[in-house]
């Protein structure tokens, strides 16, 4: 599992702020296990909750630490894909042309799956707003804004 951080610099030169995305990196052949993880995310979103990291430290700014909340996605790989991906990463700069192409393919796949999941969860939140109790409307609207912000940041990162 990992947390992707986005540093947002203030236009007036003030202190930067940060947004985060939890990525549940899962290696499995078990579709039921993935379904269980997705149901967990759905349950949290239905209750107006984000994923939580209890003991977080921001490497860029160690003053930011402790419990943080953030949107979450799942990036699932089959065991053989995970082995190949890890092997490619382990080669560092000693990649052949074919290895570079494979690694570029993984990068594109990661971005595309994260984007698809963020869009899926935004749609889920929007639909769940229609049947929400009054006390959950504002928390779910906050969730939708947070997911949309992260989606925008991912789209910018993908372009760059």
């Amino acid at each position: 599992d990992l947390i992707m951080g986005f540093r947002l610099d203030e236009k007036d030169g003030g202190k930067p702020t940060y947004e985060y995305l939890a990525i549940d990196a899962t290696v499995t052949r078990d579709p039921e296990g993935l379904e269980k993880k997705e149901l967990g995310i759905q349950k949290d979103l239905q209750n107006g909750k984000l994923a939580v990291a209890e003991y977080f430290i921001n490497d860029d700014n160690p003053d930011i630490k402790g419990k943080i909340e953030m949107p979450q996605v799942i990036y699932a790989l089959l065991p053989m894909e995970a082995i190949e991906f890890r092997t490619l990463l382990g080669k560092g700069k000693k990649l052949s042309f074919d290895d570079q192409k494979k690694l570029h393919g993984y990068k594109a796949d990661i971005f595309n799956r994260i984007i698809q999941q963020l869009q899926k969860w935004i749609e889920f939140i929007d639909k769940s707003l229609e049947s929400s109790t009054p006390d959950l409307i504002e928390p779910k609207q906050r969730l939708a804004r947070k997911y949309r912000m992260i989606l925008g940041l991912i789209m910018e990162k993908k372009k760059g």
Side-chain angles (χ1 to χ4, degrees):
D1 296 349
L2 58 110
I3 296 173
M4 181 182 277
F6 301 90
R7 180 181 163 149
L8 307 173
D9 292 322
E10 295 295 321
K11 291 179 180 157
D12 64 1
K15 284 187 173 184
T17 58
Y18 297 86
E19 291 294 334
Y20 304 99
L21 172 65
I23 302 174
D24 181 342
T26 300
V27 178
T28 186
R29 289 185 183 170
D30 178 19
E32 291 175 6
L34 290 175
E35 186 177 317
K36 185 177 177 181
K37 287 177 181 244
E38 286 205 358
L39 289 172
I41 294 172
Q42 286 179 6
K43 182 180 175 187
D44 284 346
L45 295 177
Q46 284 283 16
N47 292 315
K49 297 179 182 176
L50 292 165
V52 175
E54 293 287 339
Y55 304 103
F56 176 78
I57 297 175
N58 182 326
D59 293 335
D60 192 36
N61 182 349
D63 291 337
I64 300 173
K65 59 185 173 185
K67 180 179 170 181
I68 61 166
E69 297 179 338
M70 69 205 99
Q72 179 179 10
V73 295
I74 301 166
Y75 182 71
L77 289 171
L78 294 170
M80 290 305 295
E81 293 172 320
I83 291 168
E84 179 183 52
F85 186 47
R86 189 175 113 199
T87 300
L88 290 169
L89 290 174
K91 290 183 178 183
K93 295 184 180 188
K94 300 175 187 175
L95 292 171
S96 68
F97 178 74
D98 288 339
D99 287 346
Q100 288 176 24
K101 281 178 55 176
K102 287 179 187 176
L103 196 55
H104 182 73
Y106 276 108
K107 179 182 174 182
D109 183 59
I110 291 167
F111 273 111
N112 290 334
R113 286 205 229 172
I114 288 172
I115 289 166
Q116 289 171 354
Q117 282 195 45
L118 289 169
Q119 290 169 335
K120 172 180 144 178
W121 294 129
I122 290 166
E123 289 176 24
F124 179 84
I125 296 165
D126 288 345
K127 283 184 182 178
S128 75
L129 270 166
E130 298 168 7
S131 60
S132 290
T133 58
D135 61 318
L136 284 176
I137 290 175
E138 193 281 321
K140 287 184 181 182
Q141 289 172 336
R142 181 180 57 87
L143 291 180
R145 284 191 303 272
K146 188 71 91 169
Y147 270 79
R148 283 185 175 91
M149 175 187 285
I150 294 295
L151 177 59
L153 293 168
I154 290 285
M155 298 292 276
E156 284 177 30
K157 195 128 186 109
K158 183 179 178 185
K159 290 177 188 175

